[in-house]
Amino acid sequence: KYYPPDFDPAKIPKLKLPKDRQYVVRLMAPFNMRCKTCGEYIYKGKKFNARKETVQNEAYLGLPIFRFYIKCTRCLAEITFKTDPENTDYTMEHGATRNFQAEKLLEEEEKRMQKEREEEELNNPEGSAASNIPTYPTQVLENRTKDSKLEMEVLENLQELKELNQRQANVDFEAMLKQYKELEEEQRRKEQE
């Protein structure tokens, strides 16, 4: 390219683009969903040409949140969802319903149970009042014994499975080597004959 000697890049006017500008991007559906207008199922991984915009006045730890607009494959109704960096996921906004997610519900249930257990341990301060020696709360001890019993059961089951696999896949390497040597000796005898 030719740049004349009097060229000044500072004189080039800058584009003033709006902050809520929308871009056209190609993306895959991040989860299974069902259109609210026609009932069409849209499966995870289906490709779409989507409009992407930055959500105004919303961020998580300095990360911008993006909103995506896609169209249903059957009725062309608009479906919107946005990023959820807090949970490393996406949240459905409108136009469709997100299908059942067993894994997510299971994780939430486990977190809730763990939280309840910790609160129960903290709110059960049973110590010996007669002596000044602090003792563990009974709930903490009960939970620890349950955990250790569960761990022992898991280890026993694992050991049983290992023994079962060893019994089923019992390979006698010595016999195999002996048989191979006998075959080799036979072949040598035949070659000599």
Side-chain angles (χ1 to χ4, degrees):
K1 291 183 178 180
Y2 171 72
Y3 293 100
D6 61 340
F7 175 73
D8 185 13
K11 290 182 181 175
I12 297 172
K14 290 187 177 178
L15 284 175
K16 296 197 172 157
L17 298 170
K19 288 195 175 186
D20 58 347
R21 182 176 174 216
Q22 291 185 346
Y23 299 91
V24 175
V25 292
R26 183 90 169 152
L27 61 79
M28 289 182 176
F31 46 76
N32 297 328
M33 57 187 120
R34 187 176 183 193
C35 179
K36 282 184 180 175
T37 52
C38 67
E40 175 77 4
Y41 284 100
I42 299 169
Y43 295 101
K44 181 179 180 177
K46 176 89 174 126
K47 292 181 182 175
F48 290 95
N49 290 326
R51 293 190 335 269
K52 176 185 106 170
E53 72 177 12
T54 306
V55 179
Q56 297 299 312
N57 304 325
E58 223 177 302
Y60 173 73
L61 299 175
L63 296 171
I65 293 174
F66 299 106
R67 181 178 287 122
F68 300 96
Y69 299 89
I70 62 172
K71 292 193 183 297
C72 174
T73 51
R74 191 159 88 184
C75 68
L76 300 177
E78 195 169 64
I79 298 169
T80 65
F81 54 90
K82 60 183 181 178
T83 57
D84 183 13
E86 185 176 358
N87 301 317
T88 61
D89 200 12
Y90 293 83
T91 54
M92 193 75 227
E93 281 195 312
H94 79 271
T97 55
R98 191 167 178 170
N99 284 6
F100 180 72
Q101 277 190 306
E103 291 176 15
K104 190 174 180 183
L105 287 174
L106 191 68
E107 285 176 12
E108 287 174 2
E109 182 69 20
E110 283 179 8
K111 283 180 185 175
R112 190 181 59 76
M113 292 288 282
Q114 185 68 25
K115 199 173 183 181
E116 281 180 10
R117 185 171 160 182
E118 287 173 2
E119 286 176 7
E120 196 174 293
E121 287 175 358
L122 288 172
N123 296 334
N124 191 4
E126 291 178 13
S128 57
S131 65
N132 292 335
I133 302 167
T135 59
Y136 280 149
T138 55
Q139 194 64 40
V140 175
L141 288 173
E142 286 175 13
N143 288 339
R144 284 189 183 170
T145 53
K146 282 180 190 174
D147 289 345
S148 62
K149 280 182 184 177
L150 189 69
E151 194 175 331
M152 292 286 283
E153 286 178 14
V154 168
L155 287 172
E156 286 173 7
N157 289 341
L158 187 66
Q159 192 64 32
E160 284 177 20
L161 285 172
K162 281 182 180 178
E163 288 172 4
L164 200 128
N165 284 343
Q166 285 176 352
R167 271 187 258 138
Q168 286 178 348
N170 194 6
V171 178
D172 190 7
F173 292 107
E174 296 297 323
M176 284 175 61
L177 288 171
K178 190 176 180 182
Q179 189 178 5
Y180 181 71
K181 284 180 183 176
E182 287 174 1
L183 284 170
E184 270 190 351
E185 286 174 13
E186 248 182 74
Q187 283 180 346
R188 283 183 195 157
R189 277 190 230 132
K190 285 180 183 176
E191 286 173 7
Q192 285 176 356
E193 286 174 3

